[in-house]
Amino acid sequence: MKRVVVGHSSEVTERRSRIVHVDGVEIAIFKLTGGKLRAIENLCPHKNGKLSEGIVCDHHVFCPLHDWKINLNDGLVQEPDEGCVRTYSVEVEEATGNIILLVEQGSSLAS
């Protein structure tokens, strides 16, 4: 795993998201109530809705197109719907407040 700095924790508002691109993949980083961060691919598996535009409640995001409920911890779509979204490990560097995204080796930050 490679550690990629993708921003600063102050740039993400609680219960909102920030979008980053890594190797052509759009990733939404969400800040949950209490400040924990979660990162998932920014596409709903149903109709490719932008999850970054969804409503965050607890540790779930609701797709803005058809209200599919997705768990931000594991990427699983909640019943009665089904599917999965890719998740990424994310950390905040304590000394700097930088958001660190953990990506597979060979990936690089595009924007």
Side-chain angles (χ1 to χ4, degrees):
M1 289 285 191
K2 180 171 66 173
R3 299 167 57 87
V4 180
V5 176
V6 294
H8 192 272
S9 62
S10 65
E11 298 171 345
V12 186
T13 305
E14 216 170 75
R15 298 188 341 183
R16 300 284 186 193
S17 67
R18 180 175 192 270
I19 299 169
V20 298
H21 294 86
V22 177
D23 282 347
V25 177
E26 190 170 276
I27 298 170
I29 298 175
F30 293 89
K31 185 181 276 185
L32 307 180
T33 300
K36 290 184 179 177
L37 298 176
R38 297 291 182 266
I40 62 173
E41 189 169 359
N42 193 25
L43 288 177
C44 179
H46 178 223
K47 296 283 185 180
N48 293 335
K50 297 284 188 182
L51 296 174
S52 59
E53 298 171 6
I55 295 172
V56 176
C57 183
D58 193 22
H59 60 279
H60 295 92
V61 62
F62 292 83
C63 178
L65 294 184
H66 299 99
D67 208 31
W68 279 32
K69 183 179 180 182
I70 297 163
N71 187 323
L72 291 169
N73 291 325
D74 57 17
L76 291 176
V77 174
Q78 305 300 288
E79 291 185 10
D81 304 305
E82 57 186 46
C84 187
V85 177
R86 184 172 181 185
T87 61
Y88 299 86
S89 295
V90 63
E91 305 172 346
V92 175
E93 199 170 62
E94 195 170 315
T96 63
N98 287 333
I99 299 171
I100 310 294
L101 191 66
L102 303 176
V103 296
E104 294 181 25
Q105 287 289 0
S107 297
S108 62
L109 182 65
S111 64

